[in-house]
Amino acid sequence: MAGFISFLENRVMPVAGRIAEQKHLQAIRDGIILTMPLLIIGSLFLIIGFIPIPGYGDFMAGIFGDKWLTKLLYPVNATFDIMALIVGFGVAYRLAEKYKVDPLSAGAISVAAFLLATPYNTMFTPEGASTAVEVGGVIPVALMGSKGLFVAMILALLSTEIYRKIIQKKIVITMPDGVPPAVARSFVALIPASIVILVVWLLRILIENTSFQSIHNIVSDLLVGPLNALGSSMFGAIIAVLLVQVLWSLGLHGAAIVGGVMDPIWLSLMDQNRAVFQADPTGELPNVITKQFFDLWIYAGGSGATLALVVLMILRARSEQMKNIGRLSIGPGLFNINEPVTFGMPIVMNPLLIIPFILAPIALVIVTYLAMELGWVARPSGVAVPWTTPPIISGYLATGGKISGAVLQLVNFVVSLLIYYPFFRLWDKQKLAEEQASQSENKTVAL
């Protein structure tokens, strides 16, 4: 174990630290976070629209009319269906901040580049017709949501890199000192914005002369498809969780680092489930693995599923140190915040506790995936339940009001409790011995 810790410290930690500080990954992570309030608000309306109470639909129709559900879901469409636009703006904004150039201009240019790269046509099936026809002159809503997420991020990074390089080389139009700052900034952005638009325009024309037709098709065929296949598999989930736990074991925010790469995939899978659930709450959802899969079923109490460990400290600890940490940690732990445990116990760089800290989430991935894949438990419905929602409540809400989601959280809690227990007993015994030895020394000194 000492050799393993040495390997983590000397080989893994330096690489992980550099990845954590990488500007583009940080910008992607922070840009995606910008969508979270909107998705949560949209999810609230989705929950209200499909409350699983017999006769609820008829009751609402009697009060608000037959179109009540369509009108109630307007906010859902207005939040989920602009995900790519918000992420494109947010990624460019955060990256520009890190380069210390005007972030607002960078965000606006990124959105313009994304819309320029998007074909303004969609397929529409008229009422009573059996075949769809192509309609031009419209912004395709599907590509403004999760389907356009990767294109929006790529163009946000590309446009901001072009923008900041031109700004830093001072190839800009400068205005006299008396001009208002907002006007001066808009003229500063004029040349960089023109070059970004020119580059994306030429890129679009070039791609339209290939079999792909659009950058969306290129990204979908070459990037999104393979990444979705990996991100939606149990094997991919195990690898992701393993990386998160190893990074946390080193004191690095594993969820943020891995999430910077995988969150776009999991959000896309989440939105696929949301679209199916919104169309038919009884329909079969396509994906087991979504962002909620990890936040609500794997990381109860925080990364490492440490809520079970906190409960063990409260109920079974004999050492005063463990009892005190348990009492301090139970409040945050119920809302899936576990820094008091990971750094206070500590788990970080602790050879004994790192073992269950890694094993428990991996076991939960296997249990949860199989339970949902085999149909024993309802899959996540695409409702963006906040990761701070306490267990049981979150499992019920995230599965569209299915009790099986809450039951599985209880099962996972027991599984993690059993994995942590023997290691906790050893650590608690060690701390108790240290406390008793300290008390004996104090008595000896007093005599």
Side-chain angles (χ1 to χ4, degrees):
M1 181 56 71
F4 175 67
I5 294 297
S6 176
F7 171 77
L8 291 179
E9 287 181 326
N10 299 324
R11 299 299 179 91
V12 177
M13 193 168 185
V15 175
R18 287 194 292 271
I19 293 174
E21 295 172 359
Q22 215 283 324
K23 289 184 176 66
H24 300 87
L25 288 179
Q26 288 181 341
I28 290 173
R29 180 197 66 201
D30 295 342
I32 288 174
I33 289 174
L34 188 63
T35 67
M36 286 298 106
L38 295 177
L39 298 185
I40 291 170
I41 292 168
S43 296
L44 179 61
F45 282 88
L46 195 61
I47 291 171
I48 295 172
F50 297 102
I51 294 176
I53 298 176
Y56 173 73
D58 295 335
F59 171 76
M60 294 293 284
I63 298 176
F64 301 107
D66 293 338
K67 298 289 185 179
W68 72 272
L69 183 58
T70 301
K71 295 178 180 179
L72 180 66
L73 296 182
Y74 286 164
V76 179
N77 298 329
T79 51
F80 280 86
D81 289 347
I82 61 168
M83 191 188 305
L85 285 175
I86 300 298
V87 168
F89 180 89
V91 170
Y93 190 100
R94 295 306 184 191
L95 184 58
E97 277 187 330
K98 297 181 187 306
Y99 284 126
K100 302 189 185 306
V101 295
D102 181 25
L104 196 58
S105 295
I109 294 169
S110 169
V111 172
F114 175 64
L115 291 173
L116 176 57
T118 302
Y120 278 24
N121 56 62
T122 189
M123 300 304 293
F124 172 71
T125 304
E127 187 175 352
S130 58
T131 57
V133 295
E134 185 174 309
V135 179
V138 294
I139 297 176
V141 174
L143 296 181
M144 299 298 105
S146 60
K147 287 186 178 180
L149 199 56
F150 279 90
V151 174
M153 291 190 303
I154 292 170
L155 290 176
L157 298 176
L158 174 64
S159 65
T160 306
E161 284 294 336
I162 295 173
Y163 172 75
R164 68 97 179 176
K165 284 183 181 295
I166 295 171
I167 293 289
Q168 290 170 352
K169 290 181 181 295
K170 302 196 181 299
I171 308 174
V172 296
I173 298 174
T174 55
M175 302 298 289
D177 293 338
V179 175
V183 176
R185 283 195 296 269
S186 67
F187 274 90
V188 167
L190 186 58
I191 293 177
S194 299
I195 294 175
V196 169
I197 296 300
L198 179 63
V199 169
V200 176
W201 174 62
L202 292 174
L203 183 63
R204 174 174 174 174
I205 291 175
L206 177 64
I207 294 173
E208 284 180 343
N209 288 295
T210 69
S211 59
F212 288 107
Q213 293 296 306
S214 76
I215 190 172
H216 288 274
N217 292 336
I218 292 179
V219 172
S220 177
D221 293 347
L222 302 182
L223 181 63
V224 176
L227 286 177
N228 277 352
L230 176 63
S232 63
S233 68
M234 185 173 72
F235 175 75
I238 291 173
I239 295 299
V241 165
L242 176 63
L243 290 174
V244 169
Q245 299 310 123
V246 169
L247 291 170
W248 265 118
S249 300
L250 299 172
L252 300 172
H253 200 305
I257 297 171
V258 175
V261 177
M262 298 302 296
D263 275 357
I265 300 168
W266 296 331
L267 281 174
S268 177
L269 297 172
M270 178 198 82
D271 197 44
Q272 291 174 20
N273 281 15
R274 189 271 312 174
V276 173
F277 179 78
Q278 184 174 338
D280 180 10
T282 62
E284 183 178 354
L285 301 175
N287 304 304
V288 169
I289 300 208
T290 66
K291 184 150 177 53
Q292 284 68 47
F293 175 90
F294 298 95
D295 289 346
L296 308 182
W297 281 277
I298 310 304
Y299 297 141
S303 295
T306 53
L307 183 60
L309 181 58
V310 172
V311 171
L312 284 173
M313 284 190 277
I314 293 174
L315 298 180
R316 302 292 295 171
R318 299 175 60 197
S319 70
E320 289 300 319
Q321 180 180 340
M322 292 299 100
K323 290 178 182 177
N324 290 333
I325 292 175
R327 286 192 287 266
L328 289 171
S329 302
I330 186 62
L334 288 173
F335 297 94
N336 301 322
I337 298 169
N338 68 345
E339 277 77 1
V341 179
T342 52
F343 294 102
M345 196 170 184
I347 294 174
V348 172
M349 303 307 292
N350 185 326
L352 179 64
L353 294 177
I354 282 176
I355 297 173
F357 187 68
I358 293 174
L359 287 181
I362 291 176
L364 298 188
V365 167
I366 297 171
V367 170
T368 305
Y369 185 89
L370 291 178
M372 291 182 176
E373 180 67 21
L374 295 173
W376 299 342
V377 175
R379 299 181 178 188
S381 64
V383 173
V385 177
W387 62 270
T388 51
T389 307
I392 309 303
I393 298 173
S394 60
Y396 178 78
L397 293 176
T399 51
K402 304 293 194 304
I403 194 67
S404 61
V407 172
L408 180 58
Q409 287 183 317
L410 283 174
V411 172
N412 285 355
F413 176 80
V414 173
V415 171
S416 54
L417 196 79
L418 295 174
I419 292 174
Y420 271 111
Y421 184 73
F423 298 93
F424 160 75
R425 293 294 295 167
L426 290 173
W427 186 249
D428 183 50
K429 183 178 180 181
Q430 179 180 326
K431 291 299 162 184
L432 180 62
E434 291 174 1
E435 291 173 358
Q436 291 173 342
S438 177
Q439 291 173 359
S440 298
E441 289 178 4
N442 292 337
K443 289 180 181 179
T444 303
V445 171
L447 292 175

